[in-house]
Structure formats: structure tokens, C-alpha cells
Amino acid sequence: MKKGGIFFHKNIIYNKVFPSFRKISILKRLHQTSIKSNPSSIAMNVLIYDGNGTSPNSVKQTFLTLKSILGHAYDVMKVDATILKSEPWEESCSLIVIPGGRDSPYCEELNGTVNDKIKNYVNGGGRYLGFCAGAYYASKEIEFEKGTALEIAGPRELSFYPGLSRGTMFPGFVYNTEKGARSVSILDKREDQTIKSYYNGGGYFVNADKFGDKVKVICTYQDPGLSEEKDAAAGVHCKVGKGSALLFGFHPEYDIRFVDLSDNDNKEEIIKELTASLPLCRRLLNKSLAEIGLRVNLEKEQNNVPQLTPLYLSTISNELLQTIVKKMMQEFDSHSLLTDSNDSFYIAPISQHNSSDNDALVQSLDALSIQREFENKSPVLKILYPSSTSNENTPQIPKKSSTPSFNLQAFFKSLLERRKQEWGGGAWYRFGNAVLYSEVITSTQTVLDKNYTFTQCLPNGLVCLATNQIAGRGRGRNSWVSQAGALQFSFVVRHSLSLSNAPVVFIQYIISLAIVDSICNRKGYEDVPLRLKWPNDIYADLPTGLKKVGGLLVNSSFVRDEFLLVIGCGVNLNNPHPTVSINDVIQEHDPKLKRLDKEDILAHALITFEKYYMEFCEKGMGNWFLDKYYQRWLHSGKVVTLTTHNDEKARIVGITSDYGLLEAVSIADPRKKFTLQPDGNSFDMLKGLIIKKT
């Protein structure tokens, strides 16, 4: 789309006015989570390879399972070969995973530089997990279908398993289909228990017992197959230098409900056996991951990603509620459905949706959701709104039982009370007047950013809020660890192109400062050590080092002479993992200070942002904002090495007031100044480097 001299392409804006809006790097947050003041800081990323050769269903199954098992403590994300080759992912990685697929394309994509990085990472104390093709790939040598047209054989670079992986273990494998898949019997040697698990073309580890302490056999095949060994090794734990590799020839990560077995003659038997055995497969995987040092909740079996819950529309007044509903109904069809570019939505009053007369419609929605999940899409998102109350000017909210993890009444009360402290009683403030809240959602950012028609129905300043996100989005295609205890929300801002004195690039700085100031501007909280990292992360500056406690992003589109911005925020308010929580930081700073509620933090953050944003629109960027910003940020006077400029040493002096670029001055020649794009570079404070993004 071209409009007013600006070329728009999803999240990319290029022109002379906004030069620093560049395409967000896919793993910007890999750098951000690796920025730490000492090497003992917690690595929090689980990286799943999703590149040439991977099976889409294997990637999906691996992601969903690891998200459910490890998502309480780690950021589970997908990466490709380019990222593994060019990004310094090792410092923030807790586990790298190669899922099922085809071994040969893995070799083509990863041999050489990437494999060297993976080997060094694991040898240095890292962890590797391989399923099926990922297990073949990590063996010293493989033999696949030897003597047939499908034969693949030869050495492999990673060599985490020091011997031969041979397959297939069972006959009938067919590429790119589940036709030859089967349910196989696996002996879990820890539990001395036989379980059923999914198998489709994997191998066994030849003579695994001969490698002594280097290889521990976790489980063995129990069904007669093509191996000459009795109880051939199906899963192994390999010691690799200071690190570990878990390799499985079968698929303990698979949930049979998400497998298309339409071309498999034994589908009924497979589904029956593997549905019953799913908890046992999860236990095997849980204990294996815990054994290599990952934080797994063994007390509570987390078999599945939580089910999505409705989005409850709440507003500050009945008039606003009716306005939003009316606008939505103009876009929804006669069945109250809207299918947008990413999601499908259903809207109804809460009373109607919960009525026993509505069973047929509920069943139809469930059927549509199942169909969408089968197509690898999210289920239908239900938007439910309360019936009008007798008092038109009171907040319109659902019953507390519908939103047990977030008190909407307390939020609106805090919003109104905090506005009264602003000049003129804050009567013109609007951000936060409308809220879409869900206990469990895919991603607040995706719902608003990837559904253009739906978002056009929403008022400026509407907030989409969730207690749990099962596919939370961070910068690029990355995700913040999204769980109960975090404050995670996205909101809509429409920024007019006519505001030429207020470049849209600065909005990421404004929301970052607003989050910190919403806490630190309170009486007694002024010295709570929360700091801003350029361009838009929040850190706690603790005696033990810098710990990340929040991340922010801004996605943008340009339509009809205005930018439609979706601002996303993830703030760790109460969770001790994966880093540290803001409330723990507050208590450590001063035990007498009250722990803060997320309802109150959200209200204060929205008002603080709107206050700064209105001043920004009026005055543009200047010292009125930058003086506040520099009081909170980490970088003033820091000396860095600019890998972008022949490793020149430079001292950071600030950000430019025209385009929001990071500004630095050469140590060798103070007359030389450097400016750097916020979305084109990464700041590694541990190494004192500014690195060009690729």
C-alpha cells in the first residue's frame, strides 16, 4: 500500500520522516534476554528449529508440548537456520531442540557454522533435545532404510550420541504422511513401566550400553522390529562435555488429537491407545527434561496447553459499551461471526451465550473451532459483553466469577481515582475506558495486530488484557513468557500523520518510561531500582546484576492518513521465574513498601502514558521528556564497541530528538558522532557491544 509518500508493508515503514521504523529482527529478544551484567544470569529461552526439512506437525507438537511443560519458566520460541547462524543465541538459551522431519535437509542447512555453534553451546554446558530426525541428526553416524531407494547413510557433525543410529525400527514408513505411523510399546526404565507412544520412521541407538557413563539408556523398544538387538535403545541421555543431549527415536511429545490419521488403516486403535497413554508420555518427557537440569513441575502433570476462554468486553459506561457493540455488529454476519485475516470472532451478550436455549449454537462454534485447529488456526474467539445496568454511568463489567484473576471493578475504580489527580480532573482521558479481558488467550498482540477488520471496530485506547497467553508475542516473532502473575496487555493508539512534529518512532520510548514511572512516581517508590534499556526493555538493577522484568513492542500499520499502532507490554509483576518479579524487587528495596496489584499498575500506566502522549503530540520530542527518560535509563556515559563501525570505541550520550536514534561520540576523536537505529541494532551490555542486526 502506498499513501502520502510512505510505503507500508506489514510492520515496516520507510521514509525520510521515520527512518528508524525498520523491520523488527526475528530474534531481537534473544539479544535482549541475553543482556546481563554477569554470566550467572538465568538463561530463559527454549529454541525450536523450524527450518528446511522440519515437519510442520512435528514443529507444532514440539512447541505445544514444551510450552505446556516448560512455559511456566522459559520462553519457548521457533528459530530458523539464519538465526542460529547469525545471532548470539547461546548466552540466553536453556535448550535447543531439533524436531522430527528429514535429516538430509538439516545437514544442508546447518552443517558447518551452525553445527559448530550448537556443539560449542552443548559442550559448554548447554542442552540439546532431538526427536526422530533430530535424534538421527545428533548421532555420530546414521543408517536410514539401508539397501532401499530411501537409503541415507553417513557420518554427522554433531555426534552427541557417539555411535550409530539405525532406522527405521519398524517397516512401512512413507515420507510426508502418517500412513506408516503406529503406536509402539516403550519401556520407561526409570519407572519400569511400559507405555504406548507415537512412532513414525525413527531409529534406535545401536549398542547404546557399550558407551559406559557417556550414554544412559532412558527407554527401550518392546515390540519386535527390524533391530537384531533385544530391547533396542529408543531414548538416550548423552553426556557431552559439560552439557547434555536427550535423543528419542520415537515421539513422546505427540498429542494424538492433533494428528491427521485419515490415511492410516489403524487410526482407531492408534487414537485409543495413545489417548490413554498421553499422561505417561508426558511423565517420561517431564522427568527426562528435569534430569538435564530444566525447571519442570513434576508435582502437577501439565498435559495440555490451557483451553482458550472468552474475551469479556467491559467499559467505563453503558453508552460506550453500546457504541462498540453496534460497530462490531455492522461487521459481523447474521450468525454474529466475523472471520478476519488471523482469527474468527463470535459476539453475544453473556446472558444469551450462557442460556440453555443456546446449546445448538455452542455446538456449532465448537465444531468450527475444531475445524480451525485442524487447519492449524486458533479456535473461534468468543467476545461476550454484559447486559446494561440501571446506572448508565457505572462501569459495565461481567460477574467476578467470569474474571477470577483480574478485578475489573478495582481497575476502573483505580483508573477514575488516578485521573482525578490530573489537571482539570482528567475528564478528557480515554485510554482504558474499554477493556477486552480473557483468562487464557492466544496473544493479546496478535488479536489486535493481525485482525484489521476487527481492530477497526475498536475505540482508541482500548486495552486487550490476559492472565495467560499461550502464544504471547514479543518483538518480531518472539514471545514473552506469558503466565499468571505477569501483567500482559496490548492497546490501540491511532496516531495521525498530521502530527509531523511527533514522529511515531518515539512512542516505544514513551510507553517504556510510562511503565516505570507508573511505579516509581509513587510516594516512597522513587528509588525502586527499575531501569530502561534502549530501546524498550525494563530491567531491575540489583546487587546481583541486571535482571529483565519487562518487554515492550509497537506494531504499526498505516491507513487513511493515520498510523494504527498496537502497543504490547509484558511486565513480570509477581513471578519469581524466569528472572525476578517487580514486587520482589520492591520488597528487597524496602520491605515496608506495599506490593502492587496489577489492576492498579495497569490503570496508572495507561494514565501516565496518555499524559506523556498528549504532551508529545502537542510539543513534539524535547527536554520535557528526555530529561525524565535519562533519569531512568541505563546507558548514560557508557563506553561501547561499535561493531557496526569497525569496532570503534564510543561513549553513549543519548538519543536524538528528531528521529530517536541512539547517539554516541568517538573516544578517539570526540568530533566524530555516531547514530544508530533502535530496530537495526542490538545492545549487549555484558560485552559492551552494539551489534548490527541481520
Side-chain angles (χ1 to χ4, degrees), residues 418-419 422-431 460 491 493-495 499 501-502 506-507 510-511 514 605-621 624-625 628:
R418 178 65 182 82
R419 283 177 180 173
E422 296 302 314
W423 186 85
W428 52 86
Y429 280 67
R430 295 291 181 267
F431 285 32
N460 199 34
F491 63 103
V493 177
R494 291 181 168 85
H495 186 79
L499 297 168
N501 66 323
F506 284 104
I507 290 177
I510 294 172
I511 183 59
L606 291 169
I607 292 169
T608 305
F609 172 80
E610 191 168 8
K611 178 180 179 180
Y612 291 165
Y613 176 69
M614 287 190 294
E615 192 166 0
F616 171 61
C617 292
E618 178 186 351
K619 299 178 180 178
M621 184 49 59
W624 70 269
F625 175 82
K628 296 186 185 78

Side-chain angles (χ1 to χ4, degrees), residues 75-99:
D75 199 350
V76 182
M77 62 180 76
K78 304 169 191 175
V79 296
D80 59 19
T82 300
I83 296 306
L84 293 176
K85 183 176 182 179
S86 62
E87 302 285 348
W89 51 267
E90 301 96 312
E91 294 177 7
S92 59
C93 182
S94 290
L95 175 70
I96 185 166
V97 187
I98 307 292

Side-chain angles (χ1 to χ4, degrees), residues 568-599:
C569 308
V571 182
N572 185 6
L573 195 60
N574 291 312
N575 295 315
H577 300 300
T579 55
V580 68
S581 76
I582 287 177
N583 270 324
D584 286 343
V585 172
I586 290 171
Q587 293 286 288
E588 184 176 334
H589 173 71
D590 185 349
K592 296 189 296 294
L593 292 177
K594 177 186 174 184
R595 295 175 72 89
L596 300 176
D597 298 325
K598 51 189 173 183
E599 294 85 355

Side-chain angles (χ1 to χ4, degrees), residues 366-393:
D366 289 344
L368 179 57
S369 292
I370 292 171
Q371 178 183 337
R372 286 179 57 82
E373 287 188 89
F374 185 75
E375 296 170 353
N376 202 24
K377 299 176 182 177
S378 65
V380 175
L381 301 180
K382 300 173 183 176
I383 300 173
L384 306 181
Y385 59 91
S387 301
S388 300
T389 61
S390 56
N391 191 336
E392 296 285 305
N393 294 318

Side-chain angles (χ1 to χ4, degrees), residues 8-13 18 20-25 28-29 32 431 443-446 448-450 460 473-478 489-495 502-515 535-537 550-558 562-570 609 613 616 625 629 678-679:
F8 166 69
H9 183 271
K10 202 69 177 173
N11 294 335
I12 312 173
I13 300 172
F18 308 112
S20 60
F21 254 80
R22 303 280 298 275
K23 186 174 182 181
I24 299 172
S25 170
K28 178 76 180 242
R29 288 198 49 236
Q32 294 169 338
F431 285 32
S443 160
T444 60
Q445 194 73 5
T446 298
L448 296 184
D449 180 51
K450 299 294 185 182
N460 199 34
R473 288 179 58 209
R475 293 179 65 79
R477 282 191 350 216
N478 307 288
F489 63 97
S490 303
F491 63 103
V492 176
V493 177
R494 291 181 168 85
H495 186 79
V504 71
V505 66
F506 284 104
I507 290 177
Q508 61 185 327
Y509 302 138
I510 294 172
I511 183 59
S512 300
L513 180 62
I515 294 290
N536 52 12
D537 276 330
L552 306 118
L553 72 157
V554 181
N555 292 118
S556 61
S557 55
F558 180 65
E562 70 176 11
F563 291 102
L564 176 61
L565 307 176
V566 177
I567 300 175
C569 308
F609 172 80
Y613 176 69
F616 171 61
F625 175 82
Y629 187 81
D679 290 327

Side-chain angles (χ1 to χ4, degrees), residues 615-681:
E615 192 166 0
F616 171 61
C617 292
E618 178 186 351
K619 299 178 180 178
M621 184 49 59
N623 290 336
W624 70 269
F625 175 82
L626 293 175
D627 289 347
K628 296 186 185 78
Y629 187 81
Y630 293 147
Q631 288 177 10
R632 304 292 189 198
W633 86 331
L634 287 163
H635 311 304
S636 293
K638 295 290 173 61
V639 175
V640 295
T641 299
L642 304 179
T643 64
T644 52
H645 293 79
N646 298 320
D647 291 340
E648 182 145 7
K649 298 283 187 182
R651 187 182 307 278
I652 296 173
V653 295
I655 57 176
T656 65
S657 60
D658 49 5
Y659 302 134
L661 310 180
L662 187 71
E663 188 173 23
V665 175
S666 170
I667 297 294
D669 183 359
R671 295 171 298 176
K672 291 174 63 178
K673 292 186 177 182
F674 303 93
T675 55
L676 299 145
Q677 300 271 9
D679 290 327
N681 301 278

Side-chain angles (χ1 to χ4, degrees), residues 334-380:
S334 59
H335 301 290
S336 299
L337 285 167
L338 168 66
T339 298
D340 214 327
S341 53
N342 191 81
D343 293 293
S344 286
F345 301 89
Y346 164 76
I347 185 171
I350 296 173
S351 57
Q352 175 184 318
H353 181 265
N354 293 340
S355 170
S356 58
D357 297 333
N358 209 32
D359 290 346
L361 177 59
V362 170
Q363 291 175 7
S364 296
L365 290 175
D366 289 344
L368 179 57
S369 292
I370 292 171
Q371 178 183 337
R372 286 179 57 82
E373 287 188 89
F374 185 75
E375 296 170 353
N376 202 24
K377 299 176 182 177
S378 65
V380 175

Side-chain angles (χ1 to χ4, degrees), residues 66-76 286 294-298 300 302 468 481-484 572 575-579:
L66 294 184
K67 185 77 171 177
S68 70
I69 293 173
L70 301 173
H72 67 289
Y74 301 94
D75 199 350
V76 182
N286 282 356
L294 292 167
R295 294 192 295 277
V296 175
N297 186 354
L298 295 177
K300 180 180 179 182
Q302 297 176 325
N468 294 279
V481 175
S482 304
Q483 53 182 317
N572 185 6
N575 295 315
H577 300 300
T579 55

